[in-house]
């Protein structure tokens, strides 16, 4: 089967291509829905099993890995752009040469990630002064495993990009969905039986290897991905680097912008503050992913339209249509979180200290709403090679975010960090970028926002309902938590869990039998029913447990 026979992008207007795009968008949302539901179960278990300290250390290492991933230099965008150009002119040799160049380049960059990552793992200073020696030792171990994972993703990404450029979204999304869903499903029982964060990172590494094998096999057997290693074209590489320079700057500052909050909290507050903030940050990651699901599958189409010199009105129509869909989706999620988010973050985090995450997440959601409805515009800039201004704006946003967030983080911890991020994002990513879209790119920004704001009246009633629920439902939940029955139940639960965990249940069973009860369930039922004869049992249990050797 030849290259022309398998390329969906060459079937202009064909039903197969349209079905792939639609199926890819649908599967993206199915994948995210499953991943979100599983994470709602997975995160509390991980928090409870790892504890604030270890979970905070795990979250503190992630920004370092995101910085190492910056060594890709944004070349993924160059691959899409140049491969589209070669294929539009029917240059098969150019496609094969580009594949070979990228594979060699990413192998070298992956090796560099290994060297730098392992080198950083021996530098305690990168973890700040708030972590204990035990926490630093764990962070170093996690960093080494995650570094191997990151290094492998570099050569694998060449094959993933080839799947994307051929718009084979069914295969791509099924593999991604399997990875996202199976990883937590495997880790939950492992955490329950006692495995820790190191095992979590090893399992993630195994899934990276397996998904890489699937992508490589699919590209070589189904897509007949061509390669040519005869001559490394340094001239083409220099041309691509001139294109990706500002893409790279944009990626750097974007990673910095979303990672700096946790880094500042690690330096100035410690692992517990990172843990609390990470709940809101993870919710924001879900929020961003839902908004990007549609625009991501439009990337090859945008580059193809620009390569074919499509009129601006065609790009405007695509920009507006996707933006409206993203606004409906993200606006609905935001209002849902306004309604039930206060109780949800406490329930999900498992402690009242996570209540602040409601306001942290709202700040992040609100600032991201207005930027995420225009993500197609980012690809329009790159396809037109007009992304320099955005990179410089994002650099200013990142520096402004850091400058604002440092004093706010010191004073208000995670809430202060979120305030700084929201202010910088709204000024740079919304106000300045919309001016650029209108004045320099030529997009009809007034028309875009007219279409967006036409949707607002239909959201007024849901918004009022969400606020009403937030004002009434949360006090009811709070009041229920103040009831005597609730406290008796939670005390019994805490007492039984403490002894079951620390003494393998033996001591607890003995005490229960002495009091005439034959299992923790009977204690919980008696406490919830108001049995005052056992009201002091959990506190006695905790005290004796602390005194036992």
């Amino acid at each position: 089967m030849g290259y022309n026979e398998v390329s969906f992008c060459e079937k202009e207007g064909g039903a197969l291509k349209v079905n792939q795009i639609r199926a890819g968008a649908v599967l993206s949302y199915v994948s995210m829905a499953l991943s979100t539901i599983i994470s709602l179960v997975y995160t509390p278990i991980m928090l409870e099993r790892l504890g604030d300290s270890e979970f905070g250390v795990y979250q503190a290492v992630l920004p370092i890995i995101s910085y190492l991933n910056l060594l890709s230099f944004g070349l993924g965008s160059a691959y899409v752009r140049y491969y589209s150009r070669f294929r539009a002119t029917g240059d098969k040799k150019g496609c094969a040469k580009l594949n070979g160049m990228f594979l060699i380049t990413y192998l070298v960059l992956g090796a560099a990630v290994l060297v730098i990552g392992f080198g950083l793992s021996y530098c305690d200073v990168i973890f700040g002064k708030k972590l204990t020696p035990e926490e630093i030792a764990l962070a170093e171990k996690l960093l080494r495993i995650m570094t191997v994972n990151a290094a492998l993703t570099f050569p694998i990404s060449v094959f993933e990009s080839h799947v994307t450029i051929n718009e084979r979204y069914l295969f791509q999304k099924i593999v991604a969905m399997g990875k996202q869903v199976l990883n937590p499903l495997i880790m939950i029982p492992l955490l329950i039986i006692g495995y820790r964060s190191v095992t979590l990172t090893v399992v993630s590494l195994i899934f990276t290897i397996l998904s890489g094998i699937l992508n490589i096999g699919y590209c070589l057997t189904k897509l007949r991905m061509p390669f040519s290693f005869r001559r490394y074209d340094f001239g083409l590489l220099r041309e691509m680097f001139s294109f990706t320079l500002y893409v790279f700057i944009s990626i750097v500052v974007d990673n910095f912008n979303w990672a700096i909050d946790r880094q500042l909290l690690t330096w100035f507050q410690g692992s517990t503050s990172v843990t609390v903030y990470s709940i809101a940050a993870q919710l924001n990651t879900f929020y961003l992913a839902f908004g990007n699901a549609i625009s991501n599958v439009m990337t090859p189409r945008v580059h193809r339209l620009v390569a074919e010199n499509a009129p601006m009105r065609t790009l405007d129509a695509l920009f507006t249509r996707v933006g409206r869909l993203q606004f409906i989706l993200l606006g609905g999620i935001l209002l849902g979180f306004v309604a039930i988010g206060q109780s949800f973050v406490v329930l999900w985090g498992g402690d009242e200290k996570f209540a602040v995450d409601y306001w942290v997440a709202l700040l992040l959601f609100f600032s991201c709403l207005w930027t995420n409805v225009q993500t197609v515009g980012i690809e329009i800039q790159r396809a037109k090679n007009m992304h320099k201004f955005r990179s410089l704006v994002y650099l200013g946003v990142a520096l402004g975010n850091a400058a604002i967030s440092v004093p706010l983080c010191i004073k208000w911890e995670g809430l202060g960090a979120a305030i700084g991020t929201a202010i910088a994002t709204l000024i740079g990513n919304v106000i300045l970028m919309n001016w650029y879209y209108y004045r320099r790119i030529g997009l009809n920004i007034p028309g875009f926002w007219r279409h967006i704001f036409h949707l607002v009246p239909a959201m007024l009633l849901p918004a009022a309902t969400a606020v009403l629920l937030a004002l009434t439902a949360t006090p009811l939940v709070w009041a229920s938590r103040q009831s005597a029955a609730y406290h008796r139940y939670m005390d019994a639960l805490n007492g039984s869990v403490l002894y079951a965990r620390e003494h393998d249940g033996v001591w607890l069973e003995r005490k229960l039998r002495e009091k005439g009860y034959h299992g923790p369930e009977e204690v919980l039922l008696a406490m919830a029913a108001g049995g005052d004869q056992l009201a002091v049992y959990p506190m006695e249990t905790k005290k004796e447990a602390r005194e036992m050797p």
Side-chain angles (χ1 to χ4, degrees), residues 103-169:
L103 185 57
I104 293 173
T105 302
Y106 271 55
L107 284 170
V108 173
L109 293 175
V113 167
L114 272 179
V115 173
I116 296 173
F118 273 78
L120 290 175
S121 69
Y122 293 98
C123 300
D124 296 352
V125 67
I126 64 171
F127 301 111
K129 299 180 179 179
K130 292 291 183 177
L131 301 186
T132 65
E134 293 78 13
E135 289 175 334
I136 291 176
L138 174 62
E140 291 172 346
K141 185 181 295 185
L142 293 176
L143 179 56
R144 293 182 194 117
I145 300 172
M146 291 184 186
T147 295
V148 175
N149 196 342
L152 288 175
T153 61
F154 275 68
I156 291 173
S157 67
V158 176
F159 299 92
E160 292 175 340
S161 295
H162 192 72
V163 174
T164 300
I165 199 65
N166 282 281
E167 300 186 53
R168 293 297 186 96
Y169 295 117

Side-chain angles (χ1 to χ4, degrees), residues 441-473:
I441 303 296
L443 291 170
N444 184 8
I445 294 301
F448 173 86
W449 287 114
R450 279 197 300 272
H451 280 91
I452 295 296
F453 289 129
H454 283 165
L455 300 171
V456 172
M459 303 180 74
L460 291 179
L461 182 59
T465 304
V467 173
L468 185 63
L469 285 172
L471 294 175
T472 56

Side-chain angles (χ1 to χ4, degrees), residues 16 62 200 297:
L16 283 174
L62 293 179
L200 188 152
V297 298

Side-chain angles (χ1 to χ4, degrees), residues 26 84 93 142 145-146 149 192 215 281 356 404 445 476 509:
V26 170
S84 298
K93 291 183 179 179
L142 293 176
I145 300 172
M146 291 184 186
N149 196 342
I192 290 174
N215 276 285
V356 69
I404 297 172
I445 294 301
L476 290 175
E509 182 180 357

Side-chain angles (χ1 to χ4, degrees), residues 24-25 27-33 35-36 173 180 258 281-297 326 329-330 333 365 368 372 375:
L27 283 177
S28 292
Y29 284 115
V30 171
S31 174
M32 284 184 291
S35 180
T36 301
K173 298 303 179 182
Q180 292 169 357
W258 293 114
Q282 188 167 353
L283 290 173
N284 191 53
T285 299
F286 294 149
Y287 190 66
L288 292 172
F290 272 96
N292 289 332
I294 300 175
S295 60
N296 285 344
V297 298
Q326 289 172 312
L329 177 67
L330 295 176
I333 295 173
F365 284 10
C368 290
N372 257 42
T375 48

Side-chain angles (χ1 to χ4, degrees), residues 266-286:
T266 302
W267 291 340
F268 296 117
Q269 301 295 345
S271 58
T272 300
S273 293
V274 177
T275 297
V276 173
Y277 183 85
S278 294
I279 294 296
Q282 188 167 353
L283 290 173
N284 191 53
T285 299
F286 294 149

